[in-house]
Amino acid sequence: YRRIATRRGKQRALVAVMHKLTVAIWHVLHDRTGHKDLGADYHTRKNPQRAMRRMIREANALGLTIRFDPA
């Protein structure tokens, strides 16, 4: 929801999430299989650079400055 809402708006994000849930439920019922949850941090693990840019952008919007040093 959060990723879509930042780009498209809250109402469109809500409809998109409802559509995604409806499609997932249909596939579970149609194929008679269990639902495999990818996890809350799926997109963060998939593309960590995007997640880092998002966190920096959110911190800057709050008036914070963040600097990341390599470990």
Side-chain angles (χ1 to χ4, degrees):
Y1 170 83
R2 184 183 68 225
R3 291 179 334 113
I4 299 171
T6 56
R7 290 180 287 125
R8 307 284 257 148
K10 293 180 180 181
Q11 189 63 34
R12 283 186 182 247
L14 185 62
V15 172
V17 169
M18 288 190 299
H19 180 263
K20 191 171 270 289
L21 283 172
T22 304
V23 170
I25 290 169
W26 183 86
H27 281 290
V28 166
L29 294 175
H30 180 264
D31 300 335
R32 298 175 193 252
T33 60
H35 174 69
K36 180 183 175 195
D37 189 15
L38 298 174
D41 64 340
Y42 171 74
H43 293 288
T44 303
R45 286 184 285 121
K46 183 178 174 186
N47 193 343
Q49 288 82 19
R50 177 184 272 179
M52 187 71 70
R53 285 193 311 266
R54 180 184 51 78
M55 286 186 264
I56 292 170
R57 195 169 44 245
E58 288 177 359
N60 288 340
L62 292 172
L64 302 171
T65 303
I66 296 179
R67 185 181 70 187
F68 294 100
D69 294 325

